[in-house]
Amino acid sequence: MNTRIAEELLRRDAPFADYQHNLGSRTDAQAEASALQAGARVGVSRPHESAELHVSGSATYCDDIAELAGTLHCALGLSPIAAGRLLDSDLAAVRAMPGVVRVFTAADIPGENNCGSVLHDDPILCDGEIRYLGQPVFAVVAETREQARRAAALARTVLKTEAAEPVLTPRQAHEKQQYVVAPMHLTRSSSGLDEAGIRAAIEKAPHRLSGSLDVGGQEQFYLEGQISYALPKEGGGMHIHCSTQHPSEMQFLVAHALGIQAHAVLVECRRMGGGFGGKESQSAQFACIAAIAARTLNRPVKLRLDRDDDFMVTGRRHGFWYEYDVGYDDEGRVLGVALQMVSHAGHSADLSAAVMTRAICHFDNAYWLPEVAMHGFCARTNTQSNTAFRGFGGPQGAVCMEYILDSIARNLGKDALAVRRANFYGKGERNVTPYRQTVQDNILDEIVGQLEASSDYAARRKEVAGFNASSPVLKKGLALTPVKFGISFNVKHLNQAGALVHVYLDGSILVNHGGTEMGQGLNTKVAQVVAHELGVNFERVRMSATDTSKVANTSATAASTGSDLNGKAAQDAARRIRERLAANVAQRHGGKSGDVRFANDKVFAAGKELDFSAVVADAYLDRVQLWSDGFYATPGLSWDAKTMTGHPFYYYAYGAAVSEVVVDTLTGEWKLLRADLLHDVGQSLNPAVDIGQIEGGFIQGMGWMTMEELVWHPRSGMLMTHAPSTYKIPTANDCPPVFNVQLFEGRNVQDAIHRSKAVGEPPLLLPFSVFFAIRDAVSAVGGHQHNPPLPVPATSEAILRAITAVQAA
Ligand code: MTE
Ligand code: HPA
Ligand code: MOS
């Protein structure tokens, strides 16, 4: 069973009792009891709101929706070359295939042939210019999915093309200065230097380190692939069931593609079988194609990608290539950095600009950098267009800084933890980020100190050294890495959300909000918030599908902000209803409305204890509005894209991890022996769900750092690793036998929902510790005298190459 499966299952069907013993001190019986006493429904561990449906196989994913009579199925004909022009195609041969109803090309699109989320540079179907191998050129609609797929497979022979030389690597693109968006620059000097001055300061520093690093991309590998089911409605309307993190954007892009107004398009998503960023923008192409076919044929059309097609058509995490030049002192303190980052954007812009912006804003990770000059380039290549993936450039920014500090420590013969500490952001000074936001909630010392003690770091460092001294073939490695992760969309206007709460006459409650459920437990948390606000049992609250006809103009569920934004919006809606109920209770029973208490499924007023449902029924008779909208916009954010400065993050989430590995230096194979994670979620809304996110994020990030490798054929540009046979993600077997996961005891200094913190993405950076533990083990081969040149992913082959390099040095 692979880990993403494991994570989905944990979210859905973890044997709950087993799960709870692992929850740490925040959820001891005492805390839970006092929370319940106060009528609180937040802060307690609860199973996922759909857990029973998940385990019984009755949760409805898009492909499980009962098909309407007349439903047709769609499959895509993909470009067999990476670059060039489409000359002609013998589509008659495709049309002649059994069951084929219609073949669509770009010419059949009634509106705009574009599904680009930010720039309009993403054709839905090939417009003549071939951009990558795997690009959808035509869409076949047939009576069955099998028939559609067989006909679409003719693409290889029926498409007549003129091939051009593809640009396949970020290096090639950078040489040609071929980018999807303008390069980005951020220079910041605490002593007022310009870039030349910063470079001079680096040269004058006591020590200098320059080098380069390659970091690969990563496939989202959601369990449920991309899918859309489009149902034509009367009067030109369109209803689409879409597995998407961004229903509103699907609505707008489908409207453009059909040439109709947004009000005629309804996009609905009850849940995804995982998104991980891969359905933030890239669900659009399939929603548009299904809608175009459904509109034209006036029949329901379903488009569900095969796993291989999903790999071939859609993008993933951006690979990065870095060149750094660093000056540092005898303690390992960084005095100045000049950095060039080139990301592998692929054929179009997609979200690459925002991803690079986040990479630049996360390069500092946990460290104060007095002088820094950063340059980011988003390389345009003839490959799939890369997109959001958990962390959204943050991991790519921070990993380079960690690589630098790890290298500095080895050069100085110091423990890497000491060097990391020497560079931590301070409190009251050394606390301004390169983009000039002040770090006001710094808990790095506390979190790292606590983890260092609980993981027995110092003693195990000695044990590892002892082991290595007497073990010529197997080498152990140990590393502790911290995380600081800025929370908010880095595009200010996206930080808003809406909700709609209905209280029905029987006292049951239906909640709708703009966020989407992808397994992360957002609906569970929002239901807890609403139950808490109205002082009712969790079981009264039901979550409905995300639906663009209920809450308009929503943002993607992304940037880990789902519960921050939608939790607050739903709280706002629930509070309005509660205040109306309280006023009505006071009027009926006496006393002040401010004194009416809602707790334990009861309402307390004027010395009486009333049933919540009776209060609701009374309010109805008194003609009180029993439903409400709610809205939230994150306060205090600002960003100047030109200077790359401002206050882009509402707050930071922190964490740290210690990993211990053993490496077989003859084969490059390795095993994670133990991992200790301490992560900050503020005051947790649901410790069980949060721990699940931390475990899942850790293992998923470990896959990226160590085993998931993307290989494009160097001449044809064909993605060779387009299925689990060749693309290896972690399995349950890769989980460490000792896996200690704790929540850091604390609360958000900002007024985030119930003082919690976002948890979706930050834990993905915790497995940096696995990578640096491997690097530590490899460097033990050379007595820690040399910095092993280890790329990400540190596959067994890469580890062997690094060992060879260390031995030759
Ligand atoms: N967890 C599960 N089980 N499935 C997912 O697809 N996506 C991650 C994270 N955790 C994901 C997940 C990503 S990329 C983000 S941005 C957040 O969840 C989004 O949800 P949230 O904002 O509600 O945390
Ligand atoms: N995260 C995810 N998606 C986004 C972001 C972000 O920071 N900014 C714009 N889209
Ligand atoms: Mo998450 S990468 O912001 O969808």
Side-chain angles (χ1 to χ4, degrees):
M1 183 169 66
N2 73 49
T3 302
R4 249 143 282 186
I5 294 175
E7 188 183 349
E8 290 302 320
L9 291 180
L10 280 177
R11 206 82 40 263
R12 295 173 193 175
D13 60 10
F16 210 65
D18 285 2
Y19 208 24
Q20 293 220 341
H21 75 265
N22 205 11
L23 294 179
S25 52
R26 282 247 343 103
T27 53
D28 57 23
Q30 230 179 349
E32 195 147 332
S34 75
L36 284 171
Q37 239 167 22
R41 297 297 180 268
V42 296
V44 292
S45 291
R46 313 196 150 267
H48 193 286
E49 129 284 338
S50 291
E52 284 180 27
L53 303 180
H54 291 149
V55 287
S56 60
S58 45
T60 308
Y61 294 85
C62 275
D63 203 32
D64 302 318
I65 295 168
E67 282 173 15
L68 289 182
T71 292
L72 297 171
H73 298 267
C74 185
L76 303 176
L78 309 183
S79 164
I81 62 165
R85 294 208 57 78
L86 186 63
L87 299 178
D88 191 14
S89 29
D90 177 18
L91 294 178
V94 182
R95 278 186 211 106
M97 289 290 283
V100 171
V101 175
R102 175 88 185 239
V103 179
F104 290 86
T105 66
D108 302 309
I109 298 174
E112 203 188 337
N113 180 18
N114 167 68
C115 58
S117 49
V118 182
L119 303 185
H120 293 266
D121 65 343
D122 261 299
I124 297 168
L125 291 170
C126 178
D127 57 10
E129 179 204 357
I130 295 175
R131 293 155 163 244
Y132 68 103
L133 196 157
Q135 180 182 1
V137 178
F138 62 88
V140 187
V141 175
E143 296 293 342
T144 70
R145 185 163 179 269
E146 173 74 15
Q147 288 169 334
R149 276 168 45 76
R150 283 190 186 280
L154 292 189
R156 208 181 280 268
T157 48
V158 301
L159 297 178
K160 305 282 174 283
T161 57
E162 179 186 83
E165 193 63 32
V167 173
L168 297 174
T169 68
R171 276 186 173 75
Q172 287 170 340
H174 188 53
E175 254 164 44
K176 293 174 179 273
Q177 301 195 10
Q178 191 177 289
Y179 310 118
V180 293
V181 291
M184 297 176 198
H185 310 284
L186 171 55
T187 302
R188 170 196 122 147
S189 164
S190 56
S191 51
L193 302 171
D194 61 5
E195 173 145 8
I198 293 170
R199 289 189 183 269
I202 293 169
E203 256 172 63
K204 281 208 304 273
H207 305 277
R208 183 129 178 231
L209 174 81
S210 12
S212 71
L213 174 66
D214 276 288
V215 168
Q218 185 182 22
E219 168 62 32
Q220 287 90 2
F221 220 112
Y222 23 63
L223 285 186
E224 177 206 36
Q226 302 276 1
I227 177 168
S228 272
Y229 183 29
L231 316 173
K233 294 286 172 183
E234 65 171 26
M238 186 62 62
H239 181 171
I240 303 168
H241 295 279
C242 179
S243 184
T244 181
Q245 295 172 239
H246 204 343
S248 283
E249 189 165 273
M250 301 307 107
Q251 178 193 13
F252 300 139
L253 291 171
V254 165
H256 285 162
L258 296 180
I260 61 178
Q261 296 186 78
H263 66 202
V265 181
L266 189 163
V267 176
E268 183 179 344
C269 177
R270 174 58 183 92
R271 60 174 63 81
M272 284 161 274
F276 302 110
K279 296 169 183 170
E280 181 171 341
S281 60
Q282 299 211 351
S283 41
Q285 195 161 19
F286 318 106
C288 288
I289 292 172
I292 291 161
R295 171 80 293 129
T296 309
L297 299 167
N298 206 26
R299 284 174 70 176
V301 174
K302 188 193 279 189
L303 172 49
R304 170 164 72 82
L305 290 199
D306 173 70
R307 178 67 61 181
D308 295 67
D309 285 353
D310 205 307
F311 263 91
M312 295 302 286
V313 176
T314 70
R316 43 195 69 80
R317 183 186 297 289
H318 295 68
F320 269 61
W321 151 53
Y322 317 77
E323 294 203 334
Y324 52 83
D325 195 0
V326 185
Y328 59 97
D329 68 13
D330 295 339
E331 299 306 309
R333 266 190 291 258
V334 172
L335 303 176
V337 192
L339 174 73
Q340 173 187 285
M341 298 196 251
V342 182
S343 74
H344 188 173
H347 74 86
S348 71
D350 191 85
L351 302 168
S352 295
V355 167
M356 180 56 82
T357 302
R358 196 172 272 279
I360 287 173
C361 290
H362 283 249
F363 172 68
D364 61 332
N365 194 22
Y367 313 105
W368 182 65
L369 302 173
E371 315 286 338
V372 50
M374 290 186 255
H375 305 281
F377 303 88
C378 303
R380 182 155 55 80
T381 62
N382 294 107
T383 60
Q384 296 82 5
S385 187
N386 287 323
T387 188
F389 190 147
R390 208 170 192 168
F392 201 79
Q396 292 98 317
V399 73
C400 183
M401 186 65 207
E402 293 297 342
Y403 198 83
I404 289 168
L405 292 181
D406 187 70
S407 306
I408 289 176
R410 210 166 277 110
N411 287 351
L412 292 174
K414 286 185 182 296
D415 189 289
L417 178 55
V419 168
R420 288 191 162 94
R421 269 211 175 99
N423 284 284
F424 276 171
Y425 275 108
K427 292 175 182 165
E429 52 179 335
R430 295 164 52 91
N431 64 353
V432 180
T433 62
Y435 46 91
R436 292 189 183 48
Q437 175 163 343
T438 302
V439 181
Q440 283 160 335
D441 52 11
N442 182 353
I443 50 169
L444 285 161
D445 283 331
E446 291 88 331
I447 216 164
V448 169
Q450 194 176 317
L451 180 68
E452 185 187 17
S454 68
S455 68
D456 226 0
Y457 177 84
R460 284 165 65 205
R461 168 65 67 208
K462 287 203 190 89
E463 276 170 37
V464 163
F467 175 90
N468 288 341
S470 62
S471 174
V473 171
L474 296 181
K475 295 289 183 192
K476 284 190 179 178
L478 183 72
L480 185 156
T481 56
V483 176
K484 165 183 134 289
F485 197 100
I487 301 298
S488 291
F489 279 98
N490 63 17
V491 173
K492 181 180 165 184
H493 68 262
L494 299 179
N495 295 286
Q496 56 173 309
L500 191 57
V501 174
H502 292 343
V503 177
Y504 292 102
L505 280 186
D506 61 352
S508 67
I509 298 161
L510 186 68
V511 180
N512 186 277
H513 59 83
T516 55
E517 176 63 44
M518 57 194 104
Q520 85 278 37
L522 171 60
N523 277 347
T524 313
K525 290 181 171 179
V526 173
Q528 286 178 279
V529 166
V530 169
H532 180 93
E533 209 56 36
L534 292 169
V536 298
N537 285 342
F538 185 79
E539 291 65 33
R540 278 192 193 271
V541 182
R542 185 179 172 102
M543 304 304 293
S544 62
T546 315
D547 178 331
T548 55
S549 69
K550 290 199 175 155
V551 177
N553 312 322
T554 58
S555 297
T557 307
S560 304
T561 60
S563 44
D564 282 23
L565 298 176
N566 298 287
K568 276 279 191 185
Q571 182 185 44
D572 180 40
R575 182 172 288 163
R576 287 166 197 267
I577 297 171
R578 194 194 65 211
E579 283 167 1
R580 286 184 210 135
L581 287 173
N584 200 56
V585 165
Q587 204 160 36
R588 276 190 171 238
H589 300 277
K592 283 189 275 187
S593 74
D595 294 336
V596 179
R597 273 212 320 126
F598 293 74
N600 294 333
D601 222 33
K602 300 269 189 247
V603 180
F604 302 90
K608 293 184 196 153
E609 184 183 307
L610 310 162
D611 274 343
F612 180 77
S613 5
V615 166
V616 168
D618 287 345
Y620 172 75
L621 294 176
D622 296 340
R623 298 188 294 174
V624 173
Q625 184 185 339
L626 286 172
W627 55 270
S628 177
D629 63 326
F631 185 75
Y632 178 71
T634 315
L637 302 176
S638 66
W639 182 246
D640 179 340
K642 261 199 227 83
T643 58
M644 301 200 80
T645 57
H647 193 102
F649 304 124
Y650 189 32
Y651 60 86
Y652 296 98
Y654 298 86
V658 177
S659 293
E660 181 178 339
V661 302
V662 61
V663 173
D664 181 333
T665 58
L666 296 180
T667 64
E669 288 167 300
W670 62 278
K671 186 119 192 86
L672 178 59
L673 299 172
R674 173 173 167 182
D676 293 71
L677 278 44
L678 182 59
H679 196 78
D680 158 41
V681 296
Q683 217 159 259
S684 176
L685 288 171
N686 183 328
V689 164
D690 284 346
I691 294 226
Q693 285 291 295
I694 295 164
E695 291 173 348
F698 179 84
I699 298 294
Q700 188 170 47
M702 183 178 84
W704 171 50
M705 298 301 294
T706 61
M707 61 186 82
E708 300 185 33
E709 188 172 32
L710 294 159
V711 178
W712 284 269
H713 190 281
R715 282 186 307 281
S716 73
M718 159 104 171
L719 177 63
M720 308 302 289
T721 50
H722 56 80
S725 52
T726 42
Y727 186 80
K728 205 170 132 42
I729 66 175
T731 68
N733 251 350
D734 297 301
C735 293
V738 184
F739 198 8
N740 297 320
V741 182
Q742 295 282 323
L743 300 181
F744 181 74
E745 192 103 30
R747 71 202 293 265
N748 198 331
V749 299
Q750 296 293 354
D751 178 28
I753 185 74
H754 290 288
R755 300 281 169 178
S756 66
K757 287 191 182 182
V759 71
E761 295 168 291
L764 189 119
L765 289 75
L766 296 173
F768 288 2
S769 55
V770 177
F771 176 85
F772 290 107
I774 292 173
R775 198 173 186 223
D776 184 43
V778 171
S779 100
V781 171
H784 300 292
Q785 295 304 300
H786 308 285
N787 270 314
L790 194 63
V792 174
T795 59
S796 292
E797 294 91 327
I799 291 171
L800 265 190
R801 278 192 290 272
I803 289 170
T804 310
V806 167
Q807 283 164 339

